């Protein structure tokens, strides 16, 4: 009697570093049931690749030039509410993890995790369940016991995204283009971000973004 082969899990890799994507691909394609069907290096290309290939799982970095992985997650989930998206990021701050799940991520694994953690998470997310690496589980557990009171908790997901892009040096016009918003809307968000955080200047906003792990100097 022949046994039926388990259906392959098709995967879209999203990361702005080609060498990193190549490393992911090598790890994943060692698994008999994984098949990398496409790669993307930014949020817009991730959305286009998702539409073209409709993968079972999207592995998404958060920090990318232009619109971040959070924006890509929102766009993909708006198109396909059942999309399975696993964030794979160097960031582990509670506010960013919560923002990722709020945007529609199904799981979150840090890049410092062992490859086995990523592989297990992919299979869990492909089943429609939620997954996270042990360090992320600890971060969220500690945050639930002793809330970190991050300033980012005062901001919505879109405000966090705009703050990240402002800190990266994007102009309001560039942010509007990245997020398909009007410049006036971005200006309004800019004002709200300052009001909610108590920051008075853009330099203070940049410093805040760095302190919260949204940007690097």
């Amino acid at each position: 009697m022949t046994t039926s082969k388990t259906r392959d899990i098709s995967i879209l890799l999203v990361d702005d570093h080609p060498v990193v994507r190549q490393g992911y691909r090598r790890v994943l394609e060692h698994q008999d049931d994984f098949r990398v069907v496409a790669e993307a290096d930014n949020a817009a290309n991730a959305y286009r690749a998702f539409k073209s290939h409709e993968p079972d799982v999207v592995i998404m970095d958060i920090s990318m030039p232009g619109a971040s992985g959070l924006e890509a997650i929102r766009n993909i989930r708006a198109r396909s509410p059942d999309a399975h998206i696993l964030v794979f990021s160097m960031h582990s701050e509670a506010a960013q993890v919560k923002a990722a799940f709020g945007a529609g991520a199904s799981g979150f694994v840090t890049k410092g995790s062992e490859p086995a953690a990523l592989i297990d998470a992919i299979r869990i997310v492909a089943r429609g369940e939620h997954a996270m690496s042990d360090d992320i589980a600890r971060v969220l557990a500690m945050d639930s016991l002793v809330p970190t009171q991050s300033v980012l908790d005062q901001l919505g997901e879109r405000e966090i995204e705009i703050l990240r892009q402002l800190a990266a040096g994007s102009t309001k016009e560039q942010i509007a283009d990245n997020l398909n918003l009007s410049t006036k809307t971005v200006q309004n968000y800019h004002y709200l971000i300052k009001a909610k955080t108590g920051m008075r200047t853009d330099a203070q906003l940049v410093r805040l973004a760095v302190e919260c792990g949204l940007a690097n100097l």
Side-chain angles (χ1 to χ4, degrees), residues 27-103:
V27 170
L28 300 179
E29 291 186 339
H30 272 92
Q31 306 301 309
D32 292 339
D33 56 336
F34 288 178
R35 181 166 53 91
V36 178
V37 295
E39 299 180 13
D41 59 359
N42 59 47
N45 288 339
Y47 183 68
R48 284 192 283 268
F50 182 86
K51 287 195 301 181
S52 297
H53 298 274
E54 297 186 349
D56 298 314
V57 175
V58 180
I59 299 178
M60 179 77 68
D61 191 15
I62 288 180
S63 299
M64 293 183 288
S68 76
L70 295 180
E71 187 67 13
I73 293 170
R74 274 190 290 268
N75 290 336
I76 290 171
R77 288 298 299 269
R79 174 183 172 83
S80 179
D82 295 327
H84 303 142
I85 304 173
L86 175 64
V87 172
F88 191 46
S89 173
M90 63 184 292
H91 297 291
S92 60
E93 298 83 2
Q96 293 218 53
V97 175
K98 289 187 287 187
F101 281 113

Side-chain angles (χ1 to χ4, degrees), residues 1-2 10 37 39 45 51 62 71 96 107 132 139 141 148 169 194 196 202:
M1 183 178 66
T2 60
S10 58
V37 295
E39 299 180 13
N45 288 339
K51 287 195 301 181
I62 288 180
E71 187 67 13
Q96 293 218 53
M132 62 187 76
V139 165
T148 56
K194 284 183 175 178
K196 288 182 177 182
D202 285 354

Side-chain angles (χ1 to χ4, degrees), residues 170-199:
S170 298
T171 65
K172 295 182 181 67
E173 291 76 16
Q174 288 171 328
I175 296 171
D177 185 58
N178 289 336
L179 303 182
N180 294 314
L181 300 173
S182 69
T183 302
K184 178 64 175 176
T185 298
V186 173
Q187 290 171 341
N188 290 339
Y189 273 121
H190 189 196
Y191 172 81
L192 287 173
I193 291 167
K194 284 183 175 178
K196 288 182 177 182
T197 60
M199 301 293 106

Side-chain angles (χ1 to χ4, degrees), residues 133-153:
S133 53
D134 290 343
D135 51 351
I136 293 299
R138 286 193 295 271
V139 165
L140 293 183
M142 288 302 299
D143 187 69
S144 66
L145 292 172
V146 185
T148 56
Q149 300 298 318
S150 170
V151 177
L152 294 187
D153 291 334

